[in-house]
Amino acid sequence: MTPVIGRRGFMIGGAALAACGTGPAYGQDLPRVRVGSLQFGTVNWELAVIRDGLDRRHGFTLDPLVLSDQDATAIALQSGEVDAIVTDWIWVARQREAGRDYTFVPFSLTVGALMADPKTGIRTIHHLPGKRLGVAGGADDKSWVLIQAYARKAAGIDLPRAATVNFAAPPLLNQLALRGDLDAVLNFWQFNARLAAKGFLPVVEIARILPELGLDRPPPLLGWVFRDSWAAANPELARGFLDASFAAKAVMKTDDAVWQRLRPEMRAEDDIVFAALRDGYRAGIPAGPGPADAVAAGIALRLMAAITPAAVGGLKALPPGTFWAGYGD
């Protein structure tokens, strides 16, 4: 089936639908959940699986709206054009502190890594002074702040001063690294997968340094975000949507055939990149949400606030309600 991109989102073939029984005709007499997502974002892979019948099975019609960038998704949520988006809990915490009722349910545990071509000789954090680094997400990016904390603790290095740091969009950073114009790149996980396929290796993996920074478990950086008021007005719809999300994750974690149908959406250049993207997504699938998620996020927030206060909007603690208590353990 040729994928369709647009307001109606992405669709894949029939295994998940077959598992759902006959059900009503698509969208018949079912409430909609409007979800904003980035074009070509990895969220769309899960949305495709949900739209292949899991939405109807859980009592709603998924209505995706594909948007140009992360700011556009936030604006769509704030304006009421969509009911939910995927973003980080720090954005939610800052909104809660400002008196707005956005809340968060974990979507992914996947975090990035600092990658380098072995030819550069960069193997550890100690090799970074004097090097040209590329960072996605800007100066306040969470992974960048955590790597700075690790560099200070493990090696006594002030990375922003010790290295030449360049901030740019993820695709451009990869191009610069492959051309040799950057020595190491801190990029989002799906772009790291493409670098790994070219022989790049991780220098610093965020998930591995967290215990040394006092985090026994990684906080889920990305989650479904919606308004408390929307969930309160539509409790069955909100829970049905989240149930469908975790059902899709369960399918994606075990069913290789689903990934073959998703492959056109993934735009993997070859089999190696395809496998890396699939396995990376699977590695980031969280268990059911619970109180430990908010505890880990609170520790991470205090750590980041000590390094770069602007990264967490000057917050010193996680505002109540940042993680939604209406779902999970």
Side-chain angles (χ1 to χ4, degrees), residues 64 68 90 114 116 128 175 209 221 236 238 243 259 265 302:
S68 59
I90 293 176
L114 185 73
L128 295 180
Q175 292 175 23
I209 67 174
L221 289 180
E236 292 185 6
D243 284 345
W259 287 97
E265 323 296 352
R302 291 191 292 273

Side-chain angles (χ1 to χ4, degrees), residues 49-253:
V49 178
I50 294 174
R51 274 182 56 79
D52 208 23
L54 287 172
D55 53 351
R56 284 166 286 164
R57 184 180 182 182
H58 289 89
F60 67 96
T61 298
L62 182 64
D63 188 6
L65 175 61
V66 179
L67 298 156
S68 59
D69 55 39
Q70 194 65 42
D71 288 342
T73 65
I75 292 170
L77 181 64
Q78 291 168 316
S79 67
E81 190 172 6
V82 298
D83 303 309
I85 62 173
V86 168
T87 191
D88 61 71
W89 52 263
I90 293 176
W91 184 86
V92 176
R94 296 173 73 166
Q95 295 293 318
R96 302 280 310 188
E97 186 71 5
R100 304 180 186 98
D101 70 336
Y102 299 105
T103 193
F104 177 102
V105 172
F107 174 83
S108 176
L109 297 172
T110 302
V111 288
L114 185 73
M115 306 286 290
D117 189 327
K119 296 175 184 176
T120 64
I122 298 174
R123 299 287 189 276
T124 73
I125 197 82
H126 297 275
H127 297 143
L128 295 180
K131 301 299 184 181
R132 300 162 300 173
L133 309 184
V135 176
D140 297 337
D141 176 75
K142 277 67 68 181
S143 294
W144 172 232
V145 174
L146 291 171
I147 282 185
Q148 291 178 64
Y150 174 70
R152 291 183 184 185
K153 183 172 183 177
I157 297 171
D158 184 346
L159 270 184
R161 292 180 179 272
T164 300
V165 183
N166 302 271
F167 301 100
L172 178 58
L173 290 176
N174 273 20
Q175 292 175 23
L176 294 172
L178 291 167
R179 290 205 312 248
D181 293 331
L182 292 173
D183 300 308
V185 173
L186 175 63
N187 215 334
F188 303 144
W189 74 267
Q190 62 269 39
F191 292 92
N192 284 344
R194 289 177 160 85
L195 289 178
K198 299 293 186 181
F200 281 57
L201 296 174
V203 176
V204 181
E205 296 179 83
I206 300 300
R208 291 183 179 274
I209 67 174
L210 291 178
E212 295 189 45
L213 296 174
L215 285 160
D216 294 331
R217 55 173 284 155
L221 289 180
L222 295 176
W224 290 115
V225 174
F226 47 86
R227 288 184 179 273
D228 266 331
S229 53
W230 174 77
N234 305 279
E236 292 185 6
L237 187 59
R239 283 193 293 271
F241 170 66
L242 294 170
D243 284 345
S245 172
F246 279 94
K249 287 177 169 62
V251 172
M252 297 169 79
K253 193 166 188 174

